[in-house]
Amino acid sequence: MARTKKAKLHAALRKAEAQKKQAAKAAPAVEKAPKKQPKLHFPYTKQDTLLLIGEGNFSFAHSIASKLGSGANIIATAYDSEQVAREKYPDLGQHIEEFNKLGGTVYFDVDGTKLHECVRLSGKRFSRIVFNFPHAGAGIKNQDRNIQTNKLLLFAFFTSAQTLLIEGTPKPPKSAGPKSTRTKGEESDSDVEAPMPKKKRTGARESVDTIEFEGVKAEVVYDAVDQYDPAPEDVVEPGQIHVTLKSGPPYDKWNIKHLARECGLVTMRTSNFVLDSFPGYEHRRTLGFKEGVSKDENKEIRDKNPKLYQFISKPKTDESDTISANGKRKKGSKKQALGITSESGPRLSLEEKRKRMMEIFHETQEPFLLKELERIGPKQKGIVSQSVKDVVQSLVDDGLCHCEKVGTSNFFWAFPSEAAVKRKNKHDMLAKELSQAVSKQKELEAAIAAAQLGREQTEERAGLIEELAEVETQWNGQQEELKKFEECDPVLMKRKREETRMARDAANRWTDNVFIMQSWVRDKFNMDMDDFNKYFGISADFDNV
């Protein structure tokens, strides 16, 4: 009975499925509804002051200026000189020309890791500093070393770029934050500590442009600042650092967010870098555009899912703000209480780090383990813990610091009295060298004075000098003439005859050696001389000269 019911159920299902297929074939084809046009965010406005780092062919600067309708607030820089950049990127000229027409400024020979030392950028502050697809271009084949080189590049860039950012005063975060408005493709960053000041809409519509790329239409939405109420006077929007990177290996191993935190930055947002938002932008490699190697139409990055990372500096808070109402210290205030801020550590020069490390030794007058110095250095003197070992080793190499191994541990120390003694010895040594140099100078001056005696300039001396010059000229002319008859020079002919005799004797000596070898082979292996000469390529007329 159960089998009969089961068979009937299967038959009913098959019949329903057949009717469904037949109805689908008979129904007219229904056109698919057009997909909704995606909105692409354009993160820059006319009010922004932009600094673009590491531009290749300047197509990105041209794209932004064209989109905003002006490049008056944009400074685009390149690491290479103008001559090298034009050789690398053949299309650079046309982009710079159009960019300049829109009021943009172009600087060459700008190192993105030393922006604080650039004279042309001195005194300027920017609301956006952009570094697209940074790469050292060192050509290192070892992947680990290549990753480390590019991480150092980003670390130095973050450190230097912060000095040119507009300092902001963002509102403190509320206990219950606003509802997230993050769109698809953006990632949530857990290290956001400084939210941006909110702006209120006045009811005006966003500025939207429709573009078409590869048959797909999309809307580009970019901020229209005049459609928002002005921010309160006591709130200044902090400057941002924008970095774009490809996704996947080896770029994921650069750990860009971790590097930013180490430099005192906070990740605001991570979103997709949509190429369609920047019409006219053409990505170029650090090494330039090479036919047959480089790919055009942004193919090198379009399939790599590039990301846009937006950072701001950590807000500076007073000591009074770091204590909550219940008396507990807020997160992060411990470092500030110890004097560690975003400005300490990475920005110190090597000489300044050495000086501060010596202060630790002289103030405490105690020996330290390296681990202890790595813990004390950042807290007391703002020296990055990763550089403590190199700083201490440089002091040891220069004899300013002692290192002794006690058991299995190395102890480092330096006393102020010892430093004073070393400075005195150095002073005495330099004073002695100076005294010797002064004595040597006096001896040379006396020798010059003695040599000038009897050589006073007189008419007789002047006449003799002129006569000497004429004789030297005549002698040089005769030497040139003698060179024409070198082939008939008896001395030269004698030397050539001697060299010829020596060469003949050497040739005969080696000929005799060949004859000796022939005799040995004939007696040893009973080989005919004709066969021997044939095998070794010896001609029949081979004989002494």
Side-chain angles (χ1 to χ4, degrees), residues 307-447:
K307 298 290 184 181
L308 170 61
Y309 300 89
Q310 297 173 245
F311 307 99
I312 60 172
S313 297
K314 288 183 180 178
K316 298 178 182 178
T317 57
D318 297 333
E319 184 66 22
S320 59
D321 296 335
T322 61
I323 306 298
S324 60
N326 58 7
K328 294 183 179 180
R329 186 177 297 276
K330 292 182 180 180
K331 182 179 180 181
S333 60
K334 182 179 180 181
K335 289 186 176 181
Q336 294 177 355
L338 294 172
I340 303 176
T341 65
S342 61
E343 296 182 357
S344 63
R347 296 178 186 172
L348 297 177
S349 63
L350 177 60
E351 193 59 35
E352 183 65 23
K353 291 177 183 178
R354 285 161 55 93
K355 180 181 177 182
R356 296 191 181 191
M357 185 60 66
M358 291 300 296
E359 290 176 357
I360 294 176
F361 289 128
H362 293 170
E363 291 171 0
T364 57
Q365 299 186 21
E366 295 179 358
F368 294 95
L369 292 169
L370 183 60
K371 291 184 178 180
E372 295 174 337
L373 292 173
E374 289 176 344
R375 185 174 63 254
I376 296 172
K379 294 181 179 180
Q380 296 185 1
K381 299 299 180 180
I383 305 173
V384 180
S385 59
Q386 290 87 342
S387 64
V388 168
K389 182 178 180 180
D390 295 335
V391 173
V392 174
Q393 187 60 47
S394 69
L395 294 174
V396 173
D397 294 340
D398 293 344
L400 300 176
C401 173
H402 291 283
C403 176
E404 288 291 340
K405 188 170 185 179
V406 180
T408 59
S409 303
N410 290 323
F411 286 87
F412 301 90
W413 76 91
F415 299 123
S417 58
E418 186 179 8
V421 172
K422 287 185 177 180
R423 284 196 296 269
K424 184 178 182 303
N425 293 337
K426 184 70 173 179
H427 177 270
D428 295 341
M429 183 182 67
L430 293 175
K432 183 178 179 181
E433 292 179 357
L434 178 61
S435 177
Q436 292 176 351
V438 171
S439 300
K440 185 68 173 177
Q441 181 184 5
K442 291 180 179 179
E443 292 177 3
L444 293 175
E445 290 176 350

